[in-house]
Amino acid sequence: MSTPAGRTIQTRGNGRWSPPPPGTRSAEQIRQDIVQQRHEFSRSVDALRTRWVQVTDVKRQIREHRTELAVGAAVVGFVVGGLVALRRRR
């Protein structure tokens, strides 16, 4: 995996970052990595916040899933209606 600065980051088999062996990086390289990690963390938090706002926006969800909601309401209506009709027959 490479960084925006063109450096290569070591990753394990699962794609996660793994640090280089101790004593192989300078203090400046460590500072640069910290700055980069903070930037990536900030972007991740911003993306998560944006997604959270989208998912929890009920009006937007209703607008985007109007057909699914109508079908679901019709199915629930038929089931409830059928149960009520069955109980009245007894």
Side-chain angles (χ1 to χ4, degrees):
M1 179 188 316
S2 65
T3 65
R7 291 183 301 143
T8 300
I9 296 177
Q10 296 174 345
T11 59
R12 296 186 200 127
N14 61 5
R16 296 180 66 184
W17 177 81
S18 62
T24 60
R25 298 186 301 163
S26 69
E28 183 56 32
Q29 287 173 321
I30 294 170
R31 283 187 198 96
Q32 288 174 356
D33 286 344
I34 291 170
V35 167
Q36 178 186 349
Q37 292 296 320
R38 283 182 181 163
H39 178 70
E40 290 176 14
F41 182 71
S42 175
R43 283 192 351 231
S44 295
V45 168
D46 288 342
L48 180 61
R49 183 177 295 124
T50 299
R51 183 69 180 137
W52 179 257
V53 168
Q54 290 174 350
V55 168
T56 58
D57 183 358
V58 176
K59 289 181 181 178
R60 180 174 183 259
Q61 292 295 326
I62 290 171
R63 207 172 38 247
E64 289 181 0
H65 301 284
R66 187 173 291 147
T67 303
E68 292 91 343
L69 287 168
V71 169
V75 168
V76 169
F78 282 118
V79 169
V80 170
L83 290 174
V84 168
L86 285 175
R87 285 189 179 243
R88 285 190 177 177
R89 285 186 149 186
R90 290 183 186 179

